[in-house]
Amino acid sequence: MAPLEDQRSTVYKVDPAHPETETLPTLRTEELLLNMGPQHPSTHGVLKVILELEGERIVKSTPVMGFLHRGVEKLAEGMTYHQFIPHTDRLDYVCAMYNNFAYCRAVEKLMDITVPERAEYLRTIVAEVQRIIGHLFWLGTQALDIGAMTVFFYTFRDREILLDWFDELCGARLTTSWYRIGGVERDFTPALVDKLWRFLEYFPPKIDEYVIFLERNRIWLARTKGVAVISAEDALNFGLSGPTLRGSGVNYDLRKYEAYAAYPKCEFSVPVGKNGDTYDRYWIRVEEMRESLKIIRQCLEQMPKEGPILADVPSVTLPPKDRVFTNLESMIQQFKLFSQGFDAPPGEIYCGTEAHKGELGFYIVSTGGGRPYRLKIRAPSFIHMGAFDYMARGYMIADAITIFGTYDIVMGECDR
Amino acid sequence: MHPLAAHIQAKFPDAFIEAKEWRGDLAITVKRHALHDVCRFLREDPQLDCDYIVHVSSVDWPDDEERFEVVYEVYSIRKRHRIRVKTRVPEHDCEVDSMTDIWKGAEFMEREVFDMMGIRFRHHPDLRRILLPDDYPEGYPLRKDFPVQGKGWRDTFEFLQEEVP
Protein backbone atom coordinates (compact mmCIF):
# COMPACT_ATOMS: atom_id res chain seq x y z
CA MET A 1 0.00 0.00 0.00
CA ALA A 2 1.31 3.41 -0.89
CA PRO A 3 2.18 5.74 1.97
CA LEU A 4 -0.53 8.12 2.99
CA GLU A 5 1.22 11.17 1.59
CA ASP A 6 1.09 9.72 -1.93
CA GLN A 7 -2.66 9.18 -1.87
CA ARG A 8 -3.21 12.86 -1.47
CA SER A 9 -3.27 15.21 -4.36
CA THR A 10 -2.97 18.95 -4.26
CA VAL A 11 -5.94 21.12 -5.06
CA TYR A 12 -4.56 24.49 -4.29
CA LYS A 13 -1.67 25.44 -6.49
CA VAL A 14 0.72 27.68 -4.68
CA ASP A 15 0.20 31.21 -5.78
CA PRO A 16 3.62 32.75 -6.58
CA ALA A 17 2.45 36.08 -5.23
CA HIS A 18 1.62 34.49 -1.88
CA PRO A 19 4.32 31.98 -1.04
CA GLU A 20 2.93 31.55 2.47
CA THR A 21 0.10 29.39 1.07
CA GLU A 22 2.65 26.65 0.53
CA THR A 23 2.36 25.72 4.17
CA LEU A 24 -1.40 25.01 3.90
CA PRO A 25 -2.20 21.33 4.31
CA THR A 26 -3.04 19.48 1.12
CA LEU A 27 -6.63 18.30 0.84
CA ARG A 28 -7.96 14.92 -0.21
CA THR A 29 -10.00 15.22 -3.37
CA GLU A 30 -11.29 11.73 -4.08
CA GLU A 31 -14.99 11.42 -4.78
CA LEU A 32 -17.05 10.53 -1.79
CA LEU A 33 -19.70 7.83 -1.88
CA LEU A 34 -22.59 8.49 0.42
CA ASN A 35 -25.48 6.18 1.15
CA MET A 36 -28.62 8.17 1.66
CA GLY A 37 -31.28 5.96 3.16
CA PRO A 38 -32.85 3.41 3.29
CA GLN A 39 -33.93 4.86 6.61
CA HIS A 40 -34.30 8.56 6.10
CA PRO A 41 -37.27 10.65 7.16
CA SER A 42 -37.69 12.35 3.83
CA THR A 43 -37.47 9.39 1.48
CA HIS A 44 -41.23 8.84 1.83
CA GLY A 45 -40.90 5.16 2.44
CA VAL A 46 -37.80 3.05 2.18
CA LEU A 47 -35.52 4.26 -0.56
CA LYS A 48 -31.78 4.27 -0.75
CA VAL A 49 -29.75 6.46 -3.06
CA ILE A 50 -26.01 6.07 -3.50
CA LEU A 51 -24.64 9.54 -4.10
CA GLU A 52 -21.27 10.16 -5.66
CA LEU A 53 -20.18 13.50 -4.36
CA GLU A 54 -17.58 16.04 -5.19
CA GLY A 55 -17.57 18.25 -2.20
CA GLU A 56 -21.28 18.79 -1.66
CA ARG A 57 -22.20 18.49 -5.32
CA ILE A 58 -23.84 15.36 -6.66
CA VAL A 59 -21.84 13.89 -9.54
CA LYS A 60 -23.91 10.77 -9.98
CA SER A 61 -26.71 9.13 -8.09
CA THR A 62 -27.91 5.56 -8.18
CA PRO A 63 -31.35 4.86 -6.72
CA VAL A 64 -31.63 1.45 -5.04
CA MET A 65 -35.26 0.44 -4.86
CA GLY A 66 -37.34 -2.58 -4.01
CA PHE A 67 -37.39 -2.47 -0.24
CA LEU A 68 -41.18 -2.43 -0.34
CA HIS A 69 -41.56 -4.91 -3.18
CA ARG A 70 -44.46 -7.24 -2.43
CA GLY A 71 -44.98 -8.81 -5.82
CA VAL A 72 -48.40 -7.31 -6.41
CA GLU A 73 -48.29 -8.09 -10.13
CA LYS A 74 -47.63 -11.76 -9.40
CA LEU A 75 -50.35 -11.88 -6.74
CA ALA A 76 -52.84 -10.43 -9.21
CA GLU A 77 -52.44 -13.44 -11.48
CA GLY A 78 -53.93 -15.65 -8.80
CA MET A 79 -56.89 -13.49 -7.94
CA THR A 80 -60.24 -12.71 -9.46
CA TYR A 81 -60.75 -9.19 -10.71
CA HIS A 82 -62.96 -8.23 -7.78
CA GLN A 83 -60.52 -9.64 -5.24
CA PHE A 84 -57.71 -7.45 -6.48
CA ILE A 85 -59.38 -4.12 -5.62
CA PRO A 86 -58.13 -4.00 -1.98
CA HIS A 87 -54.60 -4.70 -3.19
CA THR A 88 -54.66 -1.55 -5.28
CA ASP A 89 -55.21 0.43 -2.05
CA ARG A 90 -51.78 -0.62 -0.91
CA LEU A 91 -49.98 0.66 -3.98
CA ASP A 92 -50.04 4.33 -3.19
CA TYR A 93 -51.35 4.10 0.34
CA VAL A 94 -51.68 7.87 0.61
CA CYS A 95 -54.22 8.05 -2.19
CA ALA A 96 -56.04 4.75 -2.28
CA MET A 97 -59.18 6.03 -3.98
CA TYR A 98 -57.40 6.97 -7.14
CA ASN A 99 -55.73 3.57 -7.40
CA ASN A 100 -59.11 1.88 -7.06
CA PHE A 101 -60.47 4.21 -9.70
CA ALA A 102 -57.68 3.50 -12.16
CA TYR A 103 -57.98 -0.24 -11.69
CA CYS A 104 -61.77 -0.32 -11.97
CA ARG A 105 -61.60 1.76 -15.12
CA ALA A 106 -59.15 -0.69 -16.65
CA VAL A 107 -61.36 -3.67 -15.87
CA GLU A 108 -64.40 -1.81 -17.19
CA LYS A 109 -62.55 -1.21 -20.43
CA LEU A 110 -61.69 -4.90 -20.59
CA MET A 111 -65.31 -5.92 -19.94
CA ASP A 112 -66.77 -3.06 -21.99
CA ILE A 113 -69.05 -1.85 -19.21
CA THR A 114 -70.68 1.57 -19.16
CA VAL A 115 -70.99 3.11 -15.72
CA PRO A 116 -74.31 4.78 -14.81
CA GLU A 117 -74.33 8.54 -14.83
CA ARG A 118 -74.79 9.12 -11.11
CA ALA A 119 -71.94 6.73 -10.37
CA GLU A 120 -69.71 8.64 -12.76
CA TYR A 121 -70.35 11.84 -10.83
CA LEU A 122 -69.81 10.16 -7.48
CA ARG A 123 -66.54 8.75 -8.76
CA THR A 124 -65.37 12.09 -10.03
CA ILE A 125 -66.17 13.88 -6.77
CA VAL A 126 -64.37 11.34 -4.64
CA ALA A 127 -61.42 11.24 -7.03
CA GLU A 128 -61.05 15.00 -6.77
CA VAL A 129 -61.34 14.90 -2.99
CA GLN A 130 -58.57 12.34 -3.11
CA ARG A 131 -56.53 14.62 -5.34
CA ILE A 132 -56.84 17.41 -2.78
CA ILE A 133 -55.77 15.01 -0.03
CA GLY A 134 -52.80 13.93 -2.11
CA HIS A 135 -51.70 17.48 -2.82
CA LEU A 136 -52.17 18.51 0.82
CA PHE A 137 -50.04 15.59 1.90
CA TRP A 138 -47.44 16.49 -0.68
CA LEU A 139 -47.40 20.16 0.24
CA GLY A 140 -47.03 19.47 3.95
CA THR A 141 -44.27 16.90 3.66
CA GLN A 142 -42.37 18.74 0.95
CA ALA A 143 -42.34 21.92 2.99
CA LEU A 144 -41.34 19.93 6.07
CA ASP A 145 -38.47 18.27 4.23
CA ILE A 146 -37.21 21.57 2.93
CA GLY A 147 -37.42 23.24 6.30
CA ALA A 148 -40.70 25.10 6.44
CA MET A 149 -42.32 23.14 9.21
CA THR A 150 -45.41 25.19 9.96
CA VAL A 151 -47.29 24.39 6.76
CA PHE A 152 -47.24 20.73 7.60
CA PHE A 153 -49.54 21.22 10.61
CA TYR A 154 -51.98 23.32 8.64
CA THR A 155 -52.24 20.98 5.66
CA PHE A 156 -52.62 17.96 7.89
CA ARG A 157 -55.40 19.69 9.81
CA ASP A 158 -57.36 20.08 6.57
CA ARG A 159 -56.41 16.66 5.28
CA GLU A 160 -57.87 15.23 8.46
CA ILE A 161 -61.27 16.76 7.67
CA LEU A 162 -61.32 14.96 4.34
CA LEU A 163 -60.06 11.70 5.80
CA ASP A 164 -62.89 11.81 8.33
CA TRP A 165 -65.20 12.38 5.40
CA PHE A 166 -63.82 9.23 3.76
CA ASP A 167 -64.28 7.40 7.04
CA GLU A 168 -67.93 8.31 7.01
CA LEU A 169 -68.25 7.40 3.34
CA CYS A 170 -66.71 3.94 3.36
CA GLY A 171 -65.52 3.11 6.86
CA ALA A 172 -61.81 3.56 6.23
CA ARG A 173 -59.52 6.53 6.17
CA LEU A 174 -56.70 5.31 3.97
CA THR A 175 -57.35 1.84 2.56
CA THR A 176 -60.73 2.66 1.20
CA SER A 177 -61.76 0.14 -1.52
CA TRP A 178 -64.86 2.15 -2.23
CA TYR A 179 -64.85 1.80 -6.02
CA ARG A 180 -66.36 -1.28 -7.56
CA ILE A 181 -66.13 -2.62 -11.07
CA GLY A 182 -69.03 -0.93 -12.82
CA GLY A 183 -69.72 1.73 -10.22
CA VAL A 184 -69.24 2.43 -6.55
CA GLU A 185 -69.98 0.60 -3.35
CA ARG A 186 -72.42 2.98 -1.67
CA ASP A 187 -74.12 6.27 -2.28
CA PHE A 188 -73.57 9.59 -0.55
CA THR A 189 -75.79 10.30 2.41
CA PRO A 190 -77.30 13.81 2.72
CA ALA A 191 -74.96 14.44 5.65
CA LEU A 192 -71.94 13.71 3.48
CA VAL A 193 -73.13 16.07 0.77
CA ASP A 194 -73.67 18.76 3.41
CA LYS A 195 -70.20 18.31 4.76
CA LEU A 196 -68.74 18.56 1.27
CA TRP A 197 -70.58 21.83 0.62
CA ARG A 198 -69.28 23.18 3.88
CA PHE A 199 -65.77 22.12 2.93
CA LEU A 200 -66.08 23.96 -0.38
CA GLU A 201 -66.77 27.13 1.58
CA TYR A 202 -64.12 26.45 4.17
CA PHE A 203 -61.19 25.45 2.00
CA PRO A 204 -60.35 28.28 -0.48
CA PRO A 205 -59.14 30.72 2.24
CA LYS A 206 -56.99 27.92 3.63
CA ILE A 207 -55.20 27.52 0.31
CA ASP A 208 -54.38 31.24 0.42
CA GLU A 209 -53.04 30.67 3.90
CA TYR A 210 -50.55 28.04 2.75
CA VAL A 211 -49.51 30.24 -0.10
CA ILE A 212 -48.80 33.13 2.27
CA PHE A 213 -46.73 30.84 4.47
CA LEU A 214 -44.61 29.68 1.61
CA GLU A 215 -44.37 32.42 -0.93
CA ARG A 216 -43.12 34.94 1.61
CA ASN A 217 -40.63 32.47 2.97
CA ARG A 218 -37.22 33.23 1.48
CA ILE A 219 -35.86 29.81 2.36
CA TRP A 220 -38.70 28.09 0.52
CA LEU A 221 -38.16 30.26 -2.55
CA ALA A 222 -34.41 29.77 -2.52
CA ARG A 223 -34.75 26.04 -2.23
CA THR A 224 -37.41 25.56 -4.89
CA LYS A 225 -36.79 28.17 -7.58
CA GLY A 226 -34.35 26.89 -10.16
CA VAL A 227 -33.93 23.54 -8.41
CA ALA A 228 -34.40 20.26 -10.27
CA VAL A 229 -35.01 21.90 -13.61
CA ILE A 230 -35.98 19.61 -16.46
CA SER A 231 -36.84 20.72 -19.96
CA ALA A 232 -40.05 19.70 -21.71
CA GLU A 233 -38.24 17.44 -24.20
CA ASP A 234 -36.35 15.64 -21.47
CA ALA A 235 -39.42 15.29 -19.29
CA LEU A 236 -41.32 13.71 -22.17
CA ASN A 237 -38.40 11.51 -23.05
CA PHE A 238 -38.25 10.16 -19.51
CA GLY A 239 -41.98 9.44 -19.53
CA LEU A 240 -42.74 11.79 -16.66
CA SER A 241 -46.39 12.64 -16.16
CA GLY A 242 -48.72 14.63 -13.97
CA PRO A 243 -47.53 17.86 -12.33
CA THR A 244 -43.92 16.81 -12.86
CA LEU A 245 -44.43 16.95 -16.61
CA ARG A 246 -46.79 19.92 -16.63
CA GLY A 247 -44.27 21.93 -14.64
CA SER A 248 -42.08 21.83 -17.74
CA GLY A 249 -44.83 23.26 -19.89
CA VAL A 250 -46.40 20.17 -21.49
CA ASN A 251 -50.14 20.33 -21.29
CA TYR A 252 -50.68 16.58 -20.86
CA ASP A 253 -53.57 15.72 -18.58
CA LEU A 254 -55.55 12.54 -19.19
CA ARG A 255 -58.65 14.14 -17.68
CA LYS A 256 -58.68 16.35 -20.78
CA TYR A 257 -57.04 13.97 -23.24
CA GLU A 258 -59.22 10.94 -22.55
CA ALA A 259 -62.21 12.71 -21.01
CA TYR A 260 -63.31 9.91 -18.74
CA ALA A 261 -65.91 9.87 -15.96
CA ALA A 262 -67.68 13.23 -15.50
CA TYR A 263 -64.67 15.38 -16.40
CA PRO A 264 -65.88 16.31 -19.91
CA LYS A 265 -69.05 17.75 -18.33
CA CYS A 266 -67.10 20.03 -16.00
CA GLU A 267 -65.27 23.21 -16.80
CA PHE A 268 -61.80 23.35 -15.40
CA SER A 269 -58.38 24.40 -16.56
CA VAL A 270 -55.10 22.56 -16.37
CA PRO A 271 -52.34 24.69 -14.85
CA VAL A 272 -49.08 24.49 -16.80
CA GLY A 273 -45.69 25.73 -15.63
CA LYS A 274 -42.98 27.48 -17.58
CA ASN A 275 -39.59 26.92 -15.98
CA GLY A 276 -39.76 23.22 -15.15
CA ASP A 277 -38.41 23.74 -11.64
CA THR A 278 -39.66 22.66 -8.25
CA TYR A 279 -41.39 25.95 -7.67
CA ASP A 280 -43.51 25.59 -10.81
CA ARG A 281 -44.52 22.12 -9.81
CA TYR A 282 -45.50 23.43 -6.38
CA TRP A 283 -47.54 26.18 -8.00
CA ILE A 284 -49.30 23.66 -10.25
CA ARG A 285 -50.31 21.52 -7.31
CA VAL A 286 -51.72 24.49 -5.43
CA GLU A 287 -53.68 25.59 -8.49
CA GLU A 288 -54.91 22.04 -9.06
CA MET A 289 -56.44 22.08 -5.60
CA ARG A 290 -58.45 25.13 -6.60
CA GLU A 291 -59.47 23.45 -9.86
CA SER A 292 -60.50 20.34 -7.95
CA LEU A 293 -62.81 22.45 -5.83
CA LYS A 294 -64.39 23.80 -9.02
CA ILE A 295 -64.91 20.28 -10.34
CA ILE A 296 -66.47 19.10 -7.09
CA ARG A 297 -68.81 22.08 -7.02
CA GLN A 298 -69.94 21.52 -10.61
CA CYS A 299 -70.42 17.81 -10.04
CA LEU A 300 -72.53 18.39 -6.94
CA GLU A 301 -74.71 20.80 -8.89
CA GLN A 302 -75.09 18.71 -12.05
CA MET A 303 -75.34 15.28 -10.48
CA PRO A 304 -78.65 13.48 -11.07
CA LYS A 305 -80.50 13.33 -7.78
CA GLU A 306 -81.27 9.65 -8.05
CA GLY A 307 -80.24 6.71 -10.11
CA PRO A 308 -78.29 3.51 -10.01
CA ILE A 309 -74.74 3.62 -8.67
CA LEU A 310 -73.64 0.30 -10.10
CA ALA A 311 -73.93 -0.89 -13.69
CA ASP A 312 -76.58 -3.54 -14.19
CA VAL A 313 -74.49 -6.31 -15.71
CA PRO A 314 -75.25 -9.27 -13.42
CA SER A 315 -72.53 -11.45 -14.90
CA VAL A 316 -69.86 -8.94 -13.86
CA THR A 317 -71.04 -6.43 -11.29
CA LEU A 318 -71.95 -7.22 -7.73
CA PRO A 319 -75.58 -7.38 -6.59
CA PRO A 320 -76.81 -4.56 -4.31
CA LYS A 321 -75.78 -5.19 -0.74
CA ASP A 322 -79.28 -5.13 0.75
CA ARG A 323 -80.36 -7.89 -1.63
CA VAL A 324 -77.34 -10.01 -0.72
CA PHE A 325 -78.58 -10.24 2.85
CA THR A 326 -82.20 -11.00 2.00
CA ASN A 327 -82.19 -12.86 -1.29
CA LEU A 328 -80.63 -16.27 -1.84
CA GLU A 329 -79.88 -15.81 -5.55
CA SER A 330 -78.07 -12.54 -4.92
CA MET A 331 -76.07 -14.18 -2.18
CA ILE A 332 -75.00 -16.95 -4.57
CA GLN A 333 -74.18 -14.40 -7.25
CA GLN A 334 -71.99 -12.38 -4.88
CA PHE A 335 -70.24 -15.52 -3.68
CA LYS A 336 -69.54 -16.79 -7.19
CA LEU A 337 -68.31 -13.42 -8.42
CA PHE A 338 -65.75 -13.27 -5.65
CA SER A 339 -64.64 -16.88 -5.58
CA GLN A 340 -64.73 -17.78 -9.28
CA GLY A 341 -64.86 -14.40 -10.90
CA PHE A 342 -66.50 -13.45 -14.14
CA ASP A 343 -65.46 -14.70 -17.53
CA ALA A 344 -63.36 -11.99 -19.15
CA PRO A 345 -62.96 -12.09 -22.92
CA PRO A 346 -59.47 -12.90 -24.22
CA GLY A 347 -57.58 -9.78 -25.20
CA GLU A 348 -55.41 -7.07 -23.79
CA ILE A 349 -56.03 -3.47 -22.83
CA TYR A 350 -54.15 -0.56 -21.38
CA CYS A 351 -56.02 2.09 -19.48
CA GLY A 352 -54.36 5.14 -17.97
CA THR A 353 -55.90 7.46 -15.40
CA GLU A 354 -54.67 10.82 -14.26
CA ALA A 355 -53.88 10.31 -10.59
CA HIS A 356 -52.49 13.27 -8.65
CA LYS A 357 -48.92 12.00 -9.15
CA GLY A 358 -49.23 11.31 -12.83
CA GLU A 359 -50.48 8.69 -15.21
CA LEU A 360 -51.42 5.57 -13.29
CA GLY A 361 -52.07 2.82 -15.81
CA PHE A 362 -53.05 -0.80 -15.80
CA TYR A 363 -52.13 -3.14 -18.63
CA ILE A 364 -54.22 -6.28 -18.40
CA VAL A 365 -53.78 -9.38 -20.55
CA SER A 366 -56.67 -11.80 -20.35
CA THR A 367 -56.91 -15.27 -21.83
CA GLY A 368 -60.49 -15.72 -20.68
CA GLY A 369 -61.56 -16.95 -17.28
CA GLY A 370 -61.88 -15.14 -14.00
CA ARG A 371 -58.27 -14.15 -13.37
CA PRO A 372 -55.96 -11.82 -15.27
CA TYR A 373 -53.22 -13.64 -17.16
CA ARG A 374 -50.87 -10.73 -16.65
CA LEU A 375 -51.42 -7.44 -14.92
CA LYS A 376 -48.86 -4.71 -15.25
CA ILE A 377 -49.04 -1.52 -13.25
CA ARG A 378 -47.60 1.62 -14.74
CA ALA A 379 -46.67 3.36 -11.52
CA PRO A 380 -45.78 7.04 -11.95
CA SER A 381 -43.45 7.05 -8.91
CA PHE A 382 -41.33 4.29 -10.41
CA ILE A 383 -41.01 6.04 -13.75
CA HIS A 384 -40.23 9.37 -12.11
CA MET A 385 -37.38 7.76 -10.22
CA GLY A 386 -35.87 6.91 -13.60
CA ALA A 387 -35.19 10.60 -14.11
CA PHE A 388 -33.72 11.11 -10.66
CA ASP A 389 -30.08 10.68 -11.63
CA TYR A 390 -30.47 13.02 -14.56
CA MET A 391 -32.18 15.70 -12.51
CA ALA A 392 -29.94 15.46 -9.45
CA ARG A 393 -26.58 15.87 -11.16
CA GLY A 394 -24.86 19.10 -10.26
CA TYR A 395 -27.11 19.95 -7.32
CA MET A 396 -26.19 19.86 -3.65
CA ILE A 397 -26.89 16.92 -1.31
CA ALA A 398 -29.65 18.87 0.37
CA ASP A 399 -31.38 19.31 -2.99
CA ALA A 400 -31.67 15.55 -3.38
CA ILE A 401 -34.47 15.75 -0.80
CA THR A 402 -36.21 18.44 -2.81
CA ILE A 403 -36.01 16.31 -5.92
CA PHE A 404 -37.59 13.20 -4.32
CA GLY A 405 -40.25 15.44 -2.97
CA THR A 406 -41.00 17.15 -6.23
CA TYR A 407 -42.02 13.83 -7.80
CA ASP A 408 -44.44 13.22 -4.94
CA ILE A 409 -42.96 9.77 -4.61
CA VAL A 410 -44.53 7.02 -2.51
CA MET A 411 -42.48 3.88 -2.32
CA GLY A 412 -45.42 1.52 -1.97
CA GLU A 413 -46.36 2.39 -5.51
CA CYS A 414 -42.80 2.61 -6.75
CA ASP A 415 -41.84 -0.89 -5.61
CA ARG A 416 -45.25 -2.54 -5.89
CA MET B 1 -56.57 -1.97 -40.97
CA HIS B 2 -55.92 1.07 -38.83
CA PRO B 3 -54.21 3.79 -40.96
CA LEU B 4 -51.27 4.03 -38.57
CA ALA B 5 -50.73 0.28 -38.71
CA ALA B 6 -50.88 0.43 -42.49
CA HIS B 7 -48.33 3.22 -42.42
CA ILE B 8 -45.93 1.11 -40.39
CA GLN B 9 -46.56 -1.92 -42.55
CA ALA B 10 -45.73 0.06 -45.69
CA LYS B 11 -42.41 1.02 -44.17
CA PHE B 12 -41.53 -2.42 -42.78
CA PRO B 13 -43.28 -4.96 -45.04
CA ASP B 14 -41.02 -7.86 -44.07
CA ALA B 15 -40.87 -7.36 -40.35
CA PHE B 16 -44.56 -6.57 -39.86
CA ILE B 17 -46.51 -9.57 -38.56
CA GLU B 18 -49.98 -8.35 -37.57
CA ALA B 19 -52.03 -5.47 -36.27
CA LYS B 20 -54.92 -5.83 -33.85
CA GLU B 21 -57.43 -3.31 -32.71
CA TRP B 22 -59.49 -4.15 -29.66
CA ARG B 23 -61.43 -1.88 -27.32
CA GLY B 24 -59.88 1.10 -29.07
CA ASP B 25 -56.29 -0.01 -28.45
CA LEU B 26 -54.01 -0.52 -31.42
CA ALA B 27 -51.40 -3.26 -31.03
CA ILE B 28 -48.92 -4.23 -33.71
CA THR B 29 -46.59 -7.20 -33.66
CA VAL B 30 -43.24 -7.05 -35.40
CA LYS B 31 -40.28 -9.36 -35.78
CA ARG B 32 -37.63 -9.03 -33.14
CA HIS B 33 -34.75 -7.90 -35.34
CA ALA B 34 -36.73 -4.90 -36.58
CA LEU B 35 -38.07 -3.77 -33.21
CA HIS B 36 -35.50 -1.06 -32.72
CA ASP B 37 -36.00 0.33 -36.21
CA VAL B 38 -39.77 0.30 -35.81
CA CYS B 39 -39.49 2.18 -32.53
CA ARG B 40 -37.15 4.73 -34.05
CA PHE B 41 -39.65 5.16 -36.87
CA LEU B 42 -42.46 5.64 -34.33
CA ARG B 43 -40.46 8.32 -32.61
CA GLU B 44 -39.21 10.18 -35.65
CA ASP B 45 -41.88 9.86 -38.31
CA PRO B 46 -43.95 13.08 -38.33
CA GLN B 47 -47.20 11.19 -38.86
CA LEU B 48 -46.63 8.88 -35.89
CA ASP B 49 -44.63 11.23 -33.66
CA CYS B 50 -44.67 9.02 -30.55
CA ASP B 51 -42.60 11.12 -28.17
CA TYR B 52 -43.89 9.68 -24.92
CA ILE B 53 -43.15 6.20 -23.57
CA VAL B 54 -45.97 4.80 -21.49
CA HIS B 55 -44.69 1.46 -20.27
CA VAL B 56 -42.52 -1.52 -21.11
CA SER B 57 -43.95 -4.86 -20.17
CA SER B 58 -43.57 -8.55 -20.82
CA VAL B 59 -45.85 -11.56 -20.98
CA ASP B 60 -44.90 -15.19 -20.56
CA TRP B 61 -46.55 -17.78 -22.81
CA PRO B 62 -44.82 -21.02 -21.72
CA ASP B 63 -46.54 -23.22 -24.29
CA ASP B 64 -45.46 -21.21 -27.30
CA GLU B 65 -42.30 -21.78 -29.23
CA GLU B 66 -41.32 -18.13 -28.86
CA ARG B 67 -42.07 -17.95 -25.22
CA PHE B 68 -41.81 -14.30 -24.16
CA GLU B 69 -43.58 -11.28 -25.45
CA VAL B 70 -42.01 -7.85 -24.95
CA VAL B 71 -44.46 -4.97 -25.05
CA TYR B 72 -43.66 -1.30 -25.60
CA GLU B 73 -46.50 1.13 -25.32
CA VAL B 74 -45.96 4.62 -26.69
CA TYR B 75 -48.10 7.70 -26.99
CA SER B 76 -48.05 10.82 -29.08
CA ILE B 77 -48.84 13.93 -27.08
CA ARG B 78 -49.38 16.06 -30.17
CA LYS B 79 -51.35 13.56 -32.27
CA ARG B 80 -53.05 11.89 -29.29
CA HIS B 81 -52.74 8.27 -30.30
CA ARG B 82 -51.46 5.28 -28.42
CA ILE B 83 -49.64 2.40 -30.09
CA ARG B 84 -48.56 -0.86 -28.54
CA VAL B 85 -45.61 -2.56 -30.22
CA LYS B 86 -45.00 -6.19 -29.41
CA THR B 87 -42.42 -8.76 -30.33
CA ARG B 88 -41.76 -12.37 -29.39
CA VAL B 89 -38.50 -13.90 -28.19
CA PRO B 90 -37.65 -17.57 -27.61
CA GLU B 91 -36.47 -18.75 -24.19
CA HIS B 92 -32.97 -19.88 -25.23
CA ASP B 93 -32.17 -16.47 -26.68
CA CYS B 94 -34.35 -13.97 -24.89
CA GLU B 95 -32.70 -10.74 -25.88
CA VAL B 96 -33.99 -7.64 -27.62
CA ASP B 97 -32.45 -4.29 -28.42
CA SER B 98 -32.76 -1.67 -25.75
CA MET B 99 -34.77 1.45 -26.57
CA THR B 100 -32.84 3.59 -24.11
CA ASP B 101 -31.35 5.64 -26.94
CA ILE B 102 -34.82 6.53 -28.22
CA TRP B 103 -36.69 7.10 -24.96
CA LYS B 104 -34.53 7.61 -21.91
CA GLY B 105 -37.38 6.57 -19.68
CA ALA B 106 -37.06 3.05 -21.05
CA GLU B 107 -34.01 2.50 -18.87
CA PHE B 108 -35.84 1.76 -15.63
CA MET B 109 -38.75 0.07 -17.34
CA GLU B 110 -36.46 -2.34 -19.17
CA ARG B 111 -34.55 -3.04 -15.99
CA GLU B 112 -37.80 -4.03 -14.38
CA VAL B 113 -38.63 -6.38 -17.24
CA PHE B 114 -35.16 -7.92 -16.92
CA ASP B 115 -35.63 -8.28 -13.18
CA MET B 116 -39.06 -9.85 -13.33
CA MET B 117 -39.00 -11.84 -16.56
CA GLY B 118 -35.33 -12.33 -17.36
CA ILE B 119 -35.34 -10.74 -20.79
CA ARG B 120 -32.02 -9.10 -21.60
CA PHE B 121 -31.72 -5.82 -23.44
CA ARG B 122 -28.78 -5.33 -25.77
CA HIS B 123 -26.90 -2.02 -25.39
CA HIS B 124 -28.67 -1.18 -22.17
CA PRO B 125 -26.42 1.12 -20.11
CA ASP B 126 -27.04 -0.46 -16.72
CA LEU B 127 -28.82 -3.80 -16.89
CA ARG B 128 -29.09 -4.91 -13.27
CA ARG B 129 -31.91 -6.08 -11.06
CA ILE B 130 -33.97 -3.17 -9.85
CA LEU B 131 -36.65 -4.30 -7.41
CA LEU B 132 -35.25 -7.62 -6.20
CA PRO B 133 -31.91 -7.88 -4.40
CA ASP B 134 -28.80 -8.23 -6.54
CA ASP B 135 -28.05 -11.68 -5.11
CA TYR B 136 -31.58 -13.00 -5.61
CA PRO B 137 -31.07 -16.69 -6.47
CA GLU B 138 -34.53 -17.88 -7.47
CA GLY B 139 -34.72 -16.62 -11.03
CA TYR B 140 -37.45 -14.48 -12.47
CA PRO B 141 -40.66 -14.27 -10.48
CA LEU B 142 -43.13 -13.23 -13.15
CA ARG B 143 -42.49 -16.32 -15.26
CA LYS B 144 -45.40 -18.68 -15.18
CA ASP B 145 -43.32 -21.58 -13.79
CA PHE B 146 -42.43 -19.56 -10.69
CA PRO B 147 -44.64 -20.46 -7.71
CA VAL B 148 -46.33 -17.57 -5.91
CA GLN B 149 -44.84 -18.54 -2.55
CA GLY B 150 -41.29 -18.56 -3.96
CA LYS B 151 -38.80 -21.38 -4.30
CA GLY B 152 -37.66 -21.67 -0.71
CA TRP B 153 -34.85 -19.12 -0.50
CA ARG B 154 -36.65 -17.36 2.30
CA ASP B 155 -36.69 -20.52 4.43
CA THR B 156 -32.89 -20.62 4.45
CA PHE B 157 -32.62 -17.27 6.25
CA GLU B 158 -31.33 -17.32 9.78
CA PHE B 159 -33.67 -15.39 11.99
CA LEU B 160 -32.73 -14.07 15.39
CA GLN B 161 -34.70 -15.73 18.14
CA GLU B 162 -36.63 -13.33 20.23
CA GLU B 163 -35.72 -13.60 23.88
CA VAL B 164 -38.70 -13.62 26.15
CA PRO B 165 -37.82 -12.06 29.50
Side-chain angles (χ1 to χ4, degrees), chain B residues 66-77:
Chain B
E66 296 198 303
R67 180 173 165 182
F68 299 109
E69 192 168 38
V70 186
V71 183
Y72 284 84
E73 183 132 0
V74 292
Y75 188 74
S76 167
I77 302 264

Side-chain angles (χ1 to χ4, degrees), chain A residues 17-31:
Chain A
H18 298 278
E20 72 277 7
T21 53
E22 200 172 359
T23 56
L24 285 175
T26 48
L27 298 173
R28 295 179 62 162
T29 57
E30 298 119 71
E31 279 178 359

